[in-house]
Amino acid sequence: MSSEPTAPAAPAFPVPADAELLRRVAQGDIDSLGQLYDRHARTLFSLARHILNDRAEAEDVVHEVFLALQASAESYDEARGSVFTWAAALTRNRAIDRVRRRRRRGDLLAQAAPADLGYAEPRGDSADPFRCGEVAVAVRQAIGQLPLEQRRALELAYFGGRTQQEIAAELATPLGTIKARIRRGLLTLRSIMEVRP
Amino acid sequence: MIDERHEENAALYALDLLEGDERVSFERSLAAEPELRALVRDLRAAAAALAHGTPAAAPSPFLRERVLASARTRQPAPARRQPMFAWAAAAGLALTTGLAGWQALRLHRELGNARTLAAQLQAENQQRAQELAAARDRQQQGDAALGLAQAELEKLRTTLRDDQAQSAQIIAALRSQANVAELKIQSLASLVGNTPQARAIAVWNPLTQQGVLTVANLPALEANKDYQLWLLEPQGTAPIDGGVFRVDATTGEARVTFKPSRAVRSVDKFAVSLERKGGAPTREGPVVLLGQ
């Protein structure tokens, strides 16, 4: 009896973590920057577009963010948070800066931070199976579990770029209550998501 | 153990909601407490996770190359190494041509040096371009921060203007209410038996020293008679002339604005008497209406 020859096991190529990719970017490896782009650009673009409600500006923001990651790659400290957390913060901050510049130019407020912050159903430009994957589902479920008042305060803070006072005024709620809602909402979200640094 | 106040500030800090002194104070605590830093790290990650829940959207397929092309321009170019065959050819040329070969070798070396220098200069230029881009980025962030500060200042100015306007309205309203509160309003009843239905209302503003008298059901008078209004002060001085008036012959009504003949500090009662045509300096005729 002879056994059919079996092909040797394919070598396992470990997928580098984001932090390793960024370390390589710091050493001039553009391909690693491309890999980071492939992993996170869609989510970052979705975030920017959600805040700005403008494709072109959202793409400009994503472009700026990846160049900022490249420029500051050497100073990245993993102890302070993941690469994605850092990139998302850069994206949010740049998008909100653009929204505020629009407001100063007297543009219509309706172009940014729409009242419906769109957690009902995804309505993106293209159906992307990756974005409907586990992480997105988990996040939506987690957000759905938050009490409405906590969710609203978090949305206005994170996507709307409002100050504490603006959130309190918009929700006609005392400032202390808003602070408490943000605290409880974010702590609850952390617990539900079981976020790891 | 992190207390609730620090927990709250950590959540606000993670969302960039802490400002000014609050932020400075919290960052001091952050620098001193590893547990607090870990909490902020976790809360920032939780906040960043919100991005995954936004409506799905895909950037254009050209964005990737745009990003990488920009990234390449910010990278220093590696120094170029001369291919081996060029040296071998130069050496061969020198051997076969003697002095000309030696000259060619020397020129080739100088050319190589020039190329190396060019590459270094290009790298320096790219480095400067990168620094310039970083400086522009910092300036843009500075401009953004300045713009934010200006926006906040404008917001404060608007709020202050709104507050001032609102305050002016409130003050005007209060003054108006004060005027109303200071008005004397008195009804006058008939003292004449044959016209019991006659009525009058006097509204007197002591600030302006003017008033309005509204009369109803008062009989019309003959041409040689007039009704005359009097203001009676509480201290019992002589009645003050408020002027003469006539009523509508059909309705018995009249509405007159009156101004007394002299300043009146306080009015106790109003009265209407029947006087000769043009009135009298002091009351002569019967009182037909008296304030209650």
Side-chain angles (χ1 to χ4, degrees), chain A residues 28 30 33-34 37-38 42-43 45-47 49-50 55 59-60 62-63 66-67 70 79-81 84-85 88 92-94 100-101 104 118-119 123-126 131 135-136 139-140 143 154 157-159 162-164 166 179-180 182-183 186-187 189-190 195 197, chain B residues 4 7-19 22 37-39 41-64 66-68 70-72 74-75 130 137 140-141 143-144 146-148 150-152 155:
Chain A
I30 299 297
L33 187 67
Y37 179 95
D38 294 335
R42 286 175 187 266
T43 304
F45 175 77
S46 298
L47 171 60
R49 190 174 186 280
H50 187 62
R55 282 192 62 88
E59 289 199 354
D60 286 347
V62 170
H63 178 260
F66 278 95
L67 294 187
Q70 181 198 29
R80 295 181 63 184
F84 174 74
T85 297
R92 172 186 172 255
N93 291 343
R94 277 164 168 72
R100 287 174 177 160
R101 282 202 292 272
R104 289 199 307 279
Y119 275 107
R123 54 173 193 270
D125 295 341
S126 59
R131 290 281 290 117
V135 176
V139 168
R140 287 173 185 273
I143 292 166
L154 280 179
Y158 190 74
F159 298 111
R162 308 287 204 271
T163 64
Q164 300 175 42
E166 286 170 341
K179 290 183 179 183
I182 287 173
R183 170 186 150 266
L186 212 50
L187 287 172
L189 197 58
R190 180 187 70 161
V195 173
Chain B
E4 192 172 301
E7 247 184 14
E8 186 173 273
N9 283 338
L12 296 172
Y13 187 77
L15 292 171
D16 294 321
L17 290 177
L18 278 189
E19 296 173 320
E22 266 190 328
R37 288 198 296 274
L39 177 61
R41 182 193 61 218
D42 287 351
L43 293 179
R44 278 185 167 154
L50 290 170
H52 288 292
T54 55
S60 78
F62 306 108
L63 180 60
R64 188 181 193 276
R66 181 181 154 204
V67 167
L68 297 184
S70 298
R72 284 187 202 101
R74 294 179 174 211
Q75 288 290 110
Q130 191 175 357
D137 197 44
Q140 193 178 17
Q141 290 176 10
D143 286 346
L146 178 62
L148 285 174
Q150 287 173 336
E152 287 301 316
K155 209 184 334 181

Side-chain angles (χ1 to χ4, degrees), chain A residues 67-78:
Chain A
L67 294 187
L69 289 177
Q70 181 198 29
S72 305
E74 280 186 356
S75 62
Y76 169 66
D77 180 3
E78 196 171 1

Side-chain angles (χ1 to χ4, degrees), chain B residues 127-188:
Chain B
Q127 176 71 19
R128 288 198 187 96
Q130 191 175 357
E131 289 167 2
L132 181 62
R136 281 179 182 154
D137 197 44
R138 286 193 295 276
Q139 183 185 11
Q140 193 178 17
Q141 290 176 10
D143 286 346
L146 178 62
L148 285 174
Q150 287 173 336
E152 287 301 316
L153 182 60
E154 187 56 37
K155 209 184 334 181
L156 279 172
R157 284 180 181 148
T158 302
T159 303
L160 184 59
R161 280 197 295 270
D162 288 347
D163 286 348
Q164 286 176 336
Q166 192 178 18
S167 298
Q169 285 180 351
I170 291 171
I171 290 168
L174 286 172
R175 283 183 177 153
S176 172
Q177 289 169 11
N179 287 347
V180 170
E182 290 169 357
L183 292 177
K184 183 168 183 68
I185 303 172
Q186 190 175 78
S187 63
L188 289 73

